[in-house]
Amino acid sequence: MSYIAPIRPETAEDFTSLRRYLHTRPELAYAEHETSALVASYLSDWGYEVATGIGGTGVVGTLKVGPGEGMIGLRADMDALPIEEATGLDYASLNAGKMHACGHDGHTTILLAAAQQLASARNFSGTVRLIFQPAEEIGGGARTMIKDGLFERFPVDAVFGLHNWPGIPAGQFAFLAGPAMASVDMAIIRIQGRGGHGAKPHLSIDPVVIAASLVLALQTVVSRNVDPLEAAVVTVGSIHGGSLPNVIPDSVELQLTVRSFNETVRQAIRERITALVTAHVASYGATASLHYPTGYPVLVNDAAQTDFARDVARRHFGAERVEQGLRPITASEDFAFMLEERPGSYLFLGNGDSADLHSPRYDFNDAIIPDAARYWVRLVEDFLSTNTRAEARS
Ligand code: ZN
């Protein structure tokens, strides 16, 4: 079976084919050229005003219907990951070392299916803007689009996005007001000692021993410096140094991921890690350099817009389709940048019992596309209904 993009997708089967086509052609951050060209061509076929090249490969489709003044934005991400696919699917990636392992092929397809339905039904009064962004996984495509004037050129009153979620039953909707996903920063520490013969450690400053001690010391940042009622993560995910058993290396490098749910904690952790690394390493007579680039901020869902989004799911799909008890997620998401600019909400959609996100065995669940698209359509129609929900937009 070959997978080609349907000429004019319309039915659920067409959109499943489209999703699988996109799955065969994964493109990495800021290189989503084929994907964004396909998105742009569908949107213009359906009558959207299309702007391309926003923040690199980003696309914005605008559809105005009636005299309504409300404006709503919906966002999907388009990029894939540098992972070698191991699903064995007949529509597995054709691009070696690249894979849609996070379901952004599904998110893009869902938003296109919604685009098609919104344009054919035209059952709202106002402006809908569909935002297809590059580089969610790495590179902060949302921030790049914002810097490129996204919300000045294409204003919205509120913005919404969704992510499929393995482990939540397929097609269930989940919402969380307030801080819903963690901030993420990276810290790269280089311990500079003095190498030498492994048999004569007293003539060296051994960065391996210092690194081992530092890994343990770093565990005190969360346990002793962060309020026990707050959540945070400091993980040393990479440690490299040396290559032979009888040689003490000159230096060792550690790489950390640091996560939290509010800016105060995030800042406090940064200060503690910086102070601790310097002092701890100095106590052994070595020096350290610390590179601590800022990643994605905490994703904060607006309370009123989250209530509205949850209400749309309840009213159109039934209360039993809304998952209860979602807790904040320590993964991060660059939609957080959009939510810093405009009120809105990021929701989660059950992907069922699939392999986890970023696994080489993960696959997006096509069965959830029709309801997810219908959900976007209802959200837009309710947001831009003629008897406007003014309180939802205030
Ligand atoms: Zn993702």
Side-chain angles (χ1 to χ4, degrees), residues 75 77 79 81 101-104 107 136-137 162-165 332-333 346 357-358:
R75 169 277 206 175
D77 38 17
D79 58 318
L81 285 153
C102 202
H104 298 183
H107 305 161
E136 190 286 320
E137 298 289 358
L162 68 75
H163 208 294
N164 79 95
W165 214 255
S332 62
E333 162 62 55
Y346 196 62
L357 301 172
H358 295 201

Side-chain angles (χ1 to χ4, degrees), residues 146 151-152 156 159 335-343:
I146 291 165
F151 292 128
E152 287 77 42
V156 296
V159 64
F335 189 66
F337 289 116
M338 294 199 186
L339 291 177
E340 285 186 333
E341 301 293 318
R342 293 293 181 277

